Amino acid sequence: MRIRHRLTLAFFVLSVVPLAAVTGYSYYSSAAALRRAAAAQADQMAADMGQRMTWVLADLGHRVQQVWRAQPGSPPAPGRSDTIGTATPGTRAGRETATVQTSRFPADLQARVQAALAEAAPMVERLVFMAGPGQPEPSAPPPDAQAPGPQPLRPPRRPGGMPAPETPPSRVVVDVTVPTKPRRPRARGAVVPFEPPSREALDSWRRAIQQQADLEQQVRANGAAMARIGDLQQAAQARDLARQSPNERRRAEARERLKALAAGEAVKFPVFLDGAVVGEVDATVNRHRMIETVLGLARRDRGEVPFVLDIDDEIHTVGPDDAASIELLKLDRRALAALPGQASRTIGDWVVVTRHDESGIVFGIARPLADSLRDMRLAAVRSLGLGTLLIVGLFGVIAPLASRLTRHVTSLTDGVRRLGTGERGARVRVQSNDEIGELAAAFNRMAGELEAHERALVERERLRRELELCRQIQVDMLPHGPLRLGLAEVTGVSIPAREVGGDFFNYFALADGRIALLVGDVSGKGVGAALLMANIQATLRARLPLEPDLPSLVDAVDEDVAANTPPEVYLTLFVGVLDAERRELRYVNGGHNPQFVLRAGGTLESLAATGLPVGLLPGRGYEERTVGVEPGDLLFLYTDGAVEVENEAGDTFGSARLQQALSATAAADVAGVLSEVESTIRAFRGVAEPSDDATMLALRIGSAPAPPPMH
C-alpha cells in the first residue's frame, strides 16, 4: 500500500472512527440518562396516582359523613325502622332502584343524598348506616325546635341531661340511583378503555384532592395536635392520638379502605355526632368509576399513558388511543402482577413503570420516548454529518500534502533506482526545507560521495593491477631456483611488506666460474623503492662482469644514485664475488647490516660494513675485504627487515635471535636454512603486520669429491 493511501486511511481511522464512536457514545449515554429520568418521573406519577386514589377515598368519606351529619328533611319518628329504601337486585355497575316511600320519610331523600354527594354520586351505589351499640336511631327534636333546612341527627336525652336508655342498633339503607351505561362482559385480562369524567367534575375533584393534600400536610406539620378532618374530628380522635399518631392512623385507614375497594367490598366510614362516634357508614363504591376518576386526574405532560391493573387482571386506560398503545406494548398482565412493589422496564421507545399498592391494585405509567429519542438521533446525526463535512474539508487539505510528500518520495525512489543501476551522476531536486528536503540533500551528498569513492576504487584497482605487475616484474628479476656451481650452492628469498618492496638479492655465475652475490635494501617501500631497486640491480648485473674492482663499481653506483634520485633516497648494498676454487670471498659492504659466515665448526663470523650507504654521502669511497671459506661453511646474507621485525608486544627480533636460529640450522641445506629462519621469524611476529621487507640469501661451500681409485 502506498504512503498516500496509508496516510488517507490513517486519517480516516483517526478522525471518522473516533467521531462516530464519540457521537454514538454520546447518543446512547444521553438516551440511557433520558430513560432513567423518564423512569423516575413516571415512577413519581404512578405514586401520585396511588396517592390520588387515597385522597379521593378520603374526600368520598368526608362527603358520606356530611350526608349523615346534615340529613335533609324530618328524620324518622322514634321507634324502630329498618330501611329508608329497598334495592332491586341488579348489576354493580348500574341498576334501576325502586324506593319505597312511607309517610315517615321525605320523598326527596334520595335526591338530596345524591346532591350532597355531588360529583361523587356516580361512584356510590349504596349507603348503609349502622348505629353503634347502645346508640338510639336518629330522631328529630321537638317540632317547635325544628328549623327549616338540614338538621343534625341527635340522640334523645332524658331530663337532666341523662342519655336515654340503650336501644338495639338500627340499620338505615339508602340506594343511590345513578344512571350508567351497562358494562359489557369482558374477558379476564382485557384492556378496558373508558371516557373520562367531565372537565367540571375533574376540576371539582382536583380542588377536593388539593384540600385533602393541604389537610394531610397540616397533620404532618403538627402530629401531636388534633387535626380537623372534614368539618369536625374532636374528642374521639383525641383518644386515638394517645395510642397512635395521626399519620399512622390515617395511613392504616386508607390501606383498609383501598383493600376493601379493590376486593369489591363496602368501604367503612365513621359517623361523628357532637365529637362522639354514633355509628358507621358502609359505602358500596363502584370500583371501576373510582379507577376511571383517578385515571382521569393523572397528569399527561409528555404523552404519558396511565393505566391501572385491578384484581380482575383488567387493565384500565383512558380512551381508545391509550388502550391501543397498551395493546401495542403487549404488556404481560401476569408479569405486571408478579413485578415487585416498584419496577421499571424499557419496551422499544417506551418506559413502563409500575407500583404495587397493598390493596392489590397496580398503578402504572407508560411514557413514550420516541420523540425525544428521535430528536436526540437527529442531533447525533447532525453532529456526525457536520463532523464528517469538516473531515471531508480537511481531506481537501491533507490530500495535496500527502500527494506532495509522496511525489518527493517517488523522486527519491527514482534517484535510488538510477543510482543502483550504475548511474553515479543521479541526483534529485531539493524542493523543500522539511525532512524530505533534508533527505533529498543527503541523497545527493551520498551519490556524490559514492561517485568519488567509485573513482577512487577504480584508481586503486588500477594501481593494484600495476603494483601486481610490478611485483611480477620484480619477482621475474630475482633468481629462480638455487644455483649450484662447483663446490657452492646458493639460494635466496625476498618477502616484501607490501605488494612490491625495495629489497633485492641476486646471484649469478661470472664468465671465469666465480659466483657474484648481491643483496641490497633501498630506503622506503612501495613502487619508488622497487623501481630504484630494479634499476640498481640491472646496473650491477650489467657492470659487475666488466668491472673486477668492486670498490670502483660501488663508488660509481654511489655517484649515480646521488645524481639521479632525491636526497632522501639511498640504499645499503652488499656486493661479493666468491671464488670457490680459491676458497675466498671478496666483498664490499656499503652500509649494510653485518652479514654472517657460519663455519663448519659452529663458529659465527660477521662481515661488517666497509663504507657508507650508497647515495647517502657520495664520494667517500668504499673498501674491499676478503674472507676465506672452507668446505661446510655457510654464508648468510640478509637485509634489516629480517632482524627489525616486531611482535604484538613491540619487541624486536634482533640479531641475537637470528644468530641462534642460524646455529640451530647449521646442518641443514641452504633451502632448509632459509625455511627454518623464515619460520622462526614468522612465529616471533605472530599476527603483527611486517613493517619492512625481508630478504635472505644462503650459500654453502661443499666438499671436493674424492679422487677415483688408482688401478
Side-chain angles (χ1 to χ4, degrees):
M1 183 182 293
R2 293 187 175 274
I3 294 179
R4 68 181 69 180
H5 297 155
R6 289 203 299 268
L7 288 175
T8 303
L9 180 60
F11 181 76
F12 176 80
V13 171
L14 295 176
S15 57
V16 176
V17 173
L19 175 63
V22 170
T23 304
Y25 174 78
S26 176
Y27 168 74
Y28 285 110
S29 60
S30 300
L34 176 64
R35 288 188 176 92
R36 289 193 297 270
Q41 293 178 358
D43 179 69
Q44 182 62 40
M45 295 176 67
D48 291 345
M49 288 175 59
Q51 191 70 21
R52 288 191 180 93
M53 178 73 82
T54 303
W55 287 338
V56 168
L57 277 176
D59 186 72
L60 179 62
H62 172 64
R63 294 172 188 267
V64 169
Q65 292 170 348
Q66 286 290 95
V67 170
W68 295 102
R69 284 201 306 270
Q71 179 179 339
S74 299
R80 296 290 307 271
S81 176
D82 291 331
T83 63
I84 295 177
T86 60
T88 302
T91 63
R92 292 170 55 188
R95 59 194 170 190
E96 295 181 358
T97 304
T99 303
V100 179
Q101 302 288 341
T102 66
S103 61
R104 295 185 301 166
F105 302 104
D108 59 347
L109 177 61
Q110 185 176 9
R112 291 178 177 241
V113 169
Q114 291 183 5
L117 293 176
E119 64 272 0
M123 298 182 187
V124 181
E125 295 179 348
R126 169 175 291 190
L127 297 176
V128 178
F129 173 78
M130 299 290 296
Q135 298 292 339
E137 66 182 43
S139 61
D144 56 355
Q146 291 185 6
Q151 297 292 331
L153 296 176
R154 296 180 182 272
R157 292 183 178 271
R158 299 179 62 185
M162 298 297 295
E166 291 186 359
T167 58
S170 61
R171 181 171 181 269
V172 179
V173 179
V174 176
D175 280 344
V176 181
T177 302
V178 179
T180 60
K181 297 180 181 179
R183 299 178 76 246
R184 291 178 297 176
R186 297 180 184 274
R188 185 177 181 84
V191 178
V192 181
F194 70 93
E195 294 297 331
S198 64
R199 177 176 298 179
E200 293 78 8
L202 292 178
D203 290 342
S204 178
W205 277 114
R206 289 190 181 95
R207 288 191 296 271
I209 288 173
Q210 186 61 43
Q211 293 175 0
Q212 292 292 328
D214 294 341
L215 181 60
E216 192 168 293
Q217 184 176 4
Q218 179 182 357
V219 172
R220 278 198 303 269
N222 189 9
M226 288 188 304
R228 182 176 181 82
I229 301 176
D231 289 341
L232 185 63
Q233 181 177 352
Q234 299 173 354
Q237 284 184 310
R239 291 192 301 268
D240 293 338
L241 288 174
R243 298 187 302 268
Q244 188 180 33
S245 66
N247 288 341
E248 293 177 354
R249 182 176 54 76
R250 286 171 59 81
R251 283 195 293 269
E253 291 176 355
R255 284 196 297 270
E256 293 300 325
R257 290 166 184 165
L258 276 176
K259 288 180 181 179
L261 174 68
E265 300 173 354
V267 181
K268 300 180 181 298
F269 299 98
V271 177
F272 297 92
L273 189 61
D274 292 336
V277 178
V278 297
E280 67 177 9
V281 175
D282 292 349
T284 302
V285 180
N286 189 317
R287 181 182 59 191
H288 300 287
R289 280 287 185 180
M290 176 73 72
I291 292 174
E292 291 169 359
T293 300
V294 172
L295 286 176
L297 294 172
R299 290 184 300 170
R300 305 173 67 90
D301 300 334
R302 295 178 177 85
E304 293 86 350
V305 177
F307 62 91
V308 174
L309 177 70
D310 61 15
I311 59 174
D312 295 330
D313 285 349
E314 288 185 349
I315 299 180
H316 299 265
T317 61
V318 180
D321 293 338
D322 289 357
S325 298
I326 296 298
E327 291 287 352
L328 183 63
L329 293 176
K330 297 180 180 179
L331 295 177
D332 188 350
R333 296 154 189 84
R334 293 184 179 180
L336 286 176
L339 285 175
Q342 176 182 352
S344 65
R345 66 173 66 177
T346 301
I347 303 176
D349 291 339
W350 291 73
V351 172
V352 179
V353 177
T354 56
R355 290 182 68 93
H356 283 239
D357 191 80
E358 294 180 356
S359 63
I361 297 176
V362 179
F363 300 96
I365 295 290
R367 179 173 175 179
L369 302 178
D371 294 340
S372 300
L373 291 177
R374 182 178 64 254
D375 294 340
M376 292 174 58
R377 281 193 291 268
L378 289 176
V381 171
R382 189 181 304 110
S383 300
L384 182 61
L386 292 176
T388 304
L389 288 177
L390 177 60
I391 292 173
V392 170
L394 292 177
F395 263 118
V397 178
I398 293 297
L401 293 178
S403 177
R404 180 182 177 185
L405 176 64
T406 55
R407 183 170 63 251
H408 295 334
V409 173
T410 303
S411 177
L412 283 171
T413 304
D414 182 67
V416 171
R417 180 187 58 78
R418 290 188 291 120
L419 188 63
T421 57
E423 187 180 346
R424 296 297 179 259
R427 300 292 187 273
V428 296
R429 294 181 57 187
V430 181
Q431 299 178 344
S432 61
N433 296 324
D434 54 9
E435 289 81 358
I436 300 298
E438 294 177 358
L439 181 60
F443 173 82
N444 290 337
R445 288 193 300 271
M446 180 194 68
E449 292 171 358
L450 285 177
E451 186 177 11
H453 184 65
E454 185 176 15
R455 287 197 299 266
L457 287 177
V458 171
E459 184 66 19
R460 186 179 302 174
E461 181 63 22
R462 183 185 64 82
L463 292 176
R464 189 192 66 79
R465 288 196 301 268
E466 292 179 356
L467 290 175
E468 184 65 28
L469 180 59
C470 292
R471 176 177 175 78
Q472 187 62 40
I473 294 173
Q474 185 179 20
V475 171
D476 292 342
M477 292 177 65
L478 298 177
H480 299 285
L483 173 64
R484 293 179 179 87
L485 185 62
L487 301 178
E489 181 181 5
V490 60
T491 188
V493 63
S494 180
I495 307 172
R498 298 184 180 180
E499 289 82 355
V500 292
D503 287 7
F504 69 93
F505 73 93
N506 207 338
Y507 50 85
F508 52 91
L510 297 176
D512 55 3
R514 295 175 299 172
I515 299 176
L517 303 173
L518 302 174
V519 175
D521 184 6
V522 180
S523 63
K525 305 170 187 66
V527 178
L531 291 176
L532 182 58
M533 178 273 294
N535 187 23
I536 297 299
Q537 185 178 198
T539 300
L540 292 174
R541 187 179 180 89
R543 297 178 64 174
L544 185 59
L546 303 176
E547 183 61 62
D549 187 7
L550 295 182
S552 299
L553 175 62
V554 176
D555 189 61
V557 174
D558 180 38
E559 295 290 342
D560 188 41
V561 170
N564 296 290
T565 59
E568 66 273 9
V569 176
Y570 62 92
L571 72 150
T572 60
L573 180 65
F574 181 90
V575 180
V577 176
L578 176 65
D579 189 344
E581 292 182 359
R582 298 176 63 176
R583 295 181 181 178
E584 66 176 8
L585 173 66
R586 294 185 301 114
Y587 71 92
V588 172
N589 188 344
H592 208 66
N593 297 87
Q595 308 297 293
F596 297 109
V597 177
L598 181 61
R599 301 298 181 178
T603 60
L604 192 64
E605 298 179 7
S606 63
L607 306 178
T610 61
L612 295 175
V614 177
L616 182 60
L617 294 173
R620 299 297 179 93
Y622 296 92
E623 178 186 355
E624 180 181 305
R625 293 181 184 179
T626 302
V627 61
V629 293
E630 298 296 332
D633 292 346
L634 177 68
L635 178 62
F636 186 82
L637 308 179
Y638 65 95
T639 60
D640 57 358
V643 294
E644 294 178 357
V645 63
E646 296 179 353
N647 59 10
E648 299 94 328
D651 298 333
T652 304
F653 187 71
S655 179
R657 288 188 177 89
L658 179 60
Q659 294 177 25
Q660 293 175 2
L662 287 175
S663 300
T665 60
D669 57 7
V670 292
V673 170
L674 295 179
S675 177
E676 290 296 331
V677 172
E678 183 180 358
S679 298
T680 302
I681 293 174
R682 289 183 184 276
F684 174 80
R685 189 185 69 203
V687 297
E689 292 292 331
S691 59
D692 199 1
D693 305 334
T695 298
M696 296 177 291
L697 184 147
L699 182 146
R700 185 179 291 279
I701 305 298
S703 301
M710 299 297 293
H711 296 287

